[in-house]
Amino acid sequence: MVKLLRACMRRYTHSIIFWIMVVLTLGLSISIAYSARTTYYDDALVLIQMLVHAIMISWVVGKEFKEGIFRNKAIVGHSKRHIFLSELISALSISFVLYLLCAIIFVAFNFYEVPLLPTDLIIKIFVDYVLLNMCLSAIFVTISCLFSHQALIAIINIALILLMWLGSQRLYGDLSQPQYYEQYETINSEWIDEDGNIRYKEEKVEGSEYLVDNPTYVGGVKRVIYETVYNLSPYGHIIDFVYFNMDWHGYDYFVNELAPEMGMTGEEMWEQVISDNVITEETAADFDKNLICSCILLLLVSCVGYIGFCKKELK
């Protein structure tokens, strides 16, 4: 097993694709962290990170089938379960180290947020970011080990990321719909404009408000299914990060641009931003749920890959 792990790590570190991926990922992390400080959290850059990640694992692991390396390992006596586990552990280790660095880069650029959040919440967000990327590694390795054609593996992994992105955005929109919306009665009110013309406008009748069922609200079993799929999706966690941090991101914009326009000092502006944001128990519970879902997805995908690869014929 140790020899297999060493061979896997050598294959990664000797591949130019791997080093290109490392440089691109760290560069994108710096861009994400900088954009979050100056304007907003740009999740489009996160999507590019995921695509680069998918291409790298598809290329390196897919080469095992293309060059007959899996078959040769089996011939010399290595079991399929050890072969798969070595691929999985190598990819997870690389992902852990790389995305731990990405998380540190983000905190370094946006350290002003740290005093605003409870320590346990910071740790949960930090760990979940690393975990969700490890989940992606497990998914890419599983697909790469279950299909024999390198090009097909890359296409499937890239398509999966795009589907995850689009699906998570759609699910978030559906789940964000309120169960009820407010309606009220109106009356036409007559008034005369400055030219002496009679005009009409609708005015709300005080006390006439009532709630109406929202036909687009997702409820019942369907909502449970939507929430489960959304929570298990790594990109769903990215969306949660974006909306959680939306009002705190853009520190430089608030302090250096908006504050002078509002006739305030940077410190006064930032104190107002902080006071407008409250971390609810529901928000904290959402990140607990994300951590649990990341662990479940990692375990589930790893088991599927392990069982599927053990049954696969290595030709």
Side-chain angles (χ1 to χ4, degrees), residues 21-303:
M21 182 263 189
V22 170
V23 172
L24 284 175
T25 302
L26 292 177
L28 287 166
S29 295
I30 293 171
S31 299
I32 293 166
Y34 179 75
S35 68
R37 181 180 178 85
T38 55
T39 50
Y40 61 93
Y41 189 109
D42 193 349
D43 59 311
L45 294 175
V46 179
L47 178 63
I48 297 173
Q49 268 187 332
M50 290 181 174
L51 291 172
V52 171
H53 193 174
I55 292 170
M56 185 270 291
I57 291 182
S58 300
W59 176 271
V60 176
V61 181
K63 232 174 153 184
E64 299 280 301
F65 274 120
K66 184 179 178 181
E67 298 181 356
I69 298 174
F70 279 152
R71 181 192 60 211
N72 293 339
K73 287 179 179 179
I75 290 173
V76 298
H78 295 294
S79 65
K80 291 179 184 177
R81 64 177 184 274
H82 284 165
I83 294 172
F84 177 78
L85 288 175
S86 65
E87 295 292 342
L88 180 65
I89 293 170
S90 298
L92 292 182
S93 301
I94 290 169
S95 180
F96 173 79
V97 173
L98 185 58
Y99 287 98
L100 182 64
L101 287 174
C102 293
I104 291 171
I105 288 171
F106 186 88
V107 172
F109 271 83
N110 298 276
F111 195 78
Y112 62 88
E113 284 192 42
V114 173
L116 309 179
L117 305 176
T119 304
D120 62 331
L121 187 59
I122 294 172
I123 293 172
K124 288 173 186 175
I125 294 172
F126 196 88
V127 171
D128 188 47
Y129 176 71
V130 177
L131 261 180
L132 73 88
N133 284 288
M134 291 176 69
C135 287
L136 288 175
S137 285
I139 291 170
F140 300 149
V141 168
T142 294
I143 291 172
S144 300
C145 287
L146 295 183
F147 294 90
S148 306
H149 300 285
Q150 192 176 24
L152 179 61
I153 290 168
I155 291 170
I156 293 174
N157 281 333
I158 291 171
L160 184 63
I161 289 297
L162 295 176
L163 183 63
M164 191 185 300
W165 167 57
L166 292 172
S168 297
Q169 295 283 5
R170 175 63 185 272
L171 288 173
Y172 180 83
D174 290 344
L175 292 171
S176 298
Q177 292 292 327
Q179 187 171 0
Y180 307 101
Y181 62 88
E182 186 181 90
Q183 281 194 349
Y184 49 83
E185 296 176 10
T186 61
I187 56 172
N188 283 327
S189 202
E190 182 180 298
W191 59 286
I192 299 175
D193 64 17
E194 57 186 15
D195 297 325
N197 299 316
I198 298 176
R199 303 290 186 190
Y200 296 91
K201 64 178 178 180
E202 285 192 345
E203 286 189 349
K204 174 182 173 181
V205 176
E206 292 296 331
S208 66
E209 301 89 354
Y210 59 96
L211 296 178
V212 177
D213 288 333
N214 181 1
T216 61
Y217 175 76
V218 179
V221 177
K222 188 176 180 182
R223 187 173 189 85
V224 174
I225 294 171
Y226 277 28
E227 286 179 341
T228 302
V229 174
Y230 177 81
N231 291 329
L232 286 174
S233 168
Y235 205 89
H237 298 197
I238 296 298
I239 294 174
D240 289 342
F241 294 159
V242 171
Y243 284 98
F244 173 71
N245 289 284
M246 185 174 288
D247 293 330
W248 287 321
H249 284 165
Y251 176 83
D252 290 350
Y253 166 73
F254 282 116
V255 172
N256 299 324
E257 296 184 34
L258 188 59
E261 292 178 9
M262 303 291 290
M264 304 167 67
T265 64
E267 291 76 12
E268 291 172 338
M269 183 78 247
W270 192 241
E271 285 179 5
Q272 181 176 317
V273 171
I274 295 171
S275 65
D276 290 341
N277 290 277
V278 178
I279 301 171
T280 63
E281 291 183 5
E282 184 181 357
T283 299
D286 285 342
F287 283 105
D288 289 336
K289 190 189 303 178
N290 282 351
L291 269 176
I292 294 170
C293 288
S294 290
C295 293
I296 291 173
L297 181 63
L298 181 58
L299 181 62
L300 182 63
V301 172
S302 300
C303 289

